[in-house]
Amino acid sequence: MSHRTLIVGNWKMHGSHPANAELLAAIVAGRPYLADVAVCVPFPYLSETAVALSATDIRWGAQDCSAHEQGAYTGEVSAAMLHEFGCRFVIVGHSERRAYHAESDQLVADKARMALKHNLTPIVCVGETLAEREADQTDAVVKRQMSAVIHTLGHCISQIVVAYEPVWAIGTGRTATPEQAQGVHALLRLQLHAATSKSNDMHILYGGSVKPDNAAALFSQPDIDGGLIGGASLKAADFVAICRAGR
Ligand code: 13P
């Protein structure tokens, strides 16, 4: 990997005005980082996040967007709106959305397409459940999830960020070993390589119980280009330590 590591905090449905202010101030105070750093926050907090980070090199984004341009879609938020709030990134296809909101591979791909159309970088999440891993279906599942996005985006696929997040490692404290994660990342890189000549320039992030004590070993793998951090991104000291583990 020749490019900089990318470390993204996914706050999920956490935060409050005072907690956000403290956390964002600590992330800013922890600079400079060798890695590129971003936080993906709940929609209502985009405005204050933009204010806190706009004079810095830390970027921000959202955790989902609509696959529709605009219209009668109560409760949804469009990619164009996110762009107005200065978002650089938007997570799409997180396993929590696939599982609790029945998001299909194609819907995730459509969201990624809409994000790119509005100059956002989609962070497309893929990953297998524990049952799928135990049934030896890991490769087939992540390939299927990825191929819907490749098919929908065509040559624009090189503009996305991919996040491999094994569902069994999310919020469980059970991290994939660096070797396990590297195996899937290499598979994804190969699949992307067949679709774009720029696959080596793309970021493939690992997510799932990344902590300060395992971050460096994960990021040192050849095909792991950074991390998507859940729980540890809410603790200022932990998130800063993980960002410092990036290169
Ligand atoms: P944890 O870091 O809490 O396991 O969450 C990972 C994740 O889902 C990031 O999107």
Side-chain angles (χ1 to χ4, degrees):
M1 183 191 68
S2 54
H3 47 262
R4 289 153 68 104
T5 315
L6 173 63
I7 316 283
V8 181
N10 173 11
W11 289 7
K12 308 193 179 184
M13 199 171 73
H14 293 285
S16 66
H17 290 309
N20 303 343
E22 199 177 316
L23 181 52
L24 290 169
I27 296 168
V28 169
R31 292 175 307 156
Y33 304 112
L34 291 178
D36 288 324
V37 174
V39 287
C40 288
V41 308
F43 296 131
Y45 298 145
L46 282 171
S47 184
E48 68 207 60
T49 301
V51 169
L53 300 181
S54 58
T56 77
D57 56 356
I58 314 283
R59 297 168 180 141
W60 61 93
Q63 301 167 15
D64 184 35
C65 71
S66 177
H68 302 286
E69 193 74 61
Q70 59 169 32
Y73 300 103
T74 301
E76 294 209 47
V77 172
S78 73
M81 294 171 189
L82 298 180
H83 189 255
E84 280 194 314
F85 279 84
C87 287
R88 168 70 183 269
F89 295 103
V90 59
I91 297 170
V92 298
H94 192 280
S95 63
E96 288 150 17
R97 295 212 58 89
R98 291 181 190 260
Y100 309 146
H101 301 271
E103 293 197 3
S104 66
D105 296 340
Q106 189 56 51
L107 180 67
V108 172
D110 291 341
K111 289 182 173 192
R113 179 171 55 190
M114 194 56 77
L116 283 179
K117 183 174 176 198
H118 291 281
N119 294 313
L120 303 169
T121 298
I123 300 174
V124 178
C125 302
V126 300
E128 81 288 2
T129 62
L130 183 59
E132 288 163 344
R133 174 160 282 262
E134 286 175 344
D136 231 1
Q137 291 170 352
T138 299
D139 294 6
V141 168
V142 300
K143 272 180 135 169
R144 188 202 74 220
Q145 292 171 333
M146 196 70 251
S147 80
V149 185
I150 290 172
H151 186 256
T152 297
L153 298 188
H155 68 277
C156 294
I157 192 70
S158 65
Q159 296 169 36
I160 75 165
V161 168
V162 176
Y164 169 56
E165 298 208 313
V167 179
W168 48 272
I170 295 176
T172 57
R174 193 178 155 189
T175 323
T177 64
E179 295 72 25
Q180 270 176 331
Q182 165 59 25
V184 178
H185 282 233
L187 183 93
L188 287 165
R189 183 94 57 199
L190 204 62
Q191 190 181 2
L192 291 164
H193 184 66
T196 170
S197 58
K198 298 182 185 152
S199 63
N200 285 334
D201 301 330
M202 294 177 66
H203 282 90
I204 307 179
L205 312 182
Y206 169 79
S209 298
V210 177
K211 307 288 178 210
D213 62 359
N214 60 24
L218 286 160
F219 301 159
S220 69
Q221 295 294 317
D223 288 295
I224 301 184
D225 310 309
L228 186 55
I229 321 300
S233 77
L234 300 168
K235 297 180 195 147
D238 284 5
F239 189 62
V240 166
I242 292 168
C243 291
R244 289 192 174 142
R247 295 155 288 140

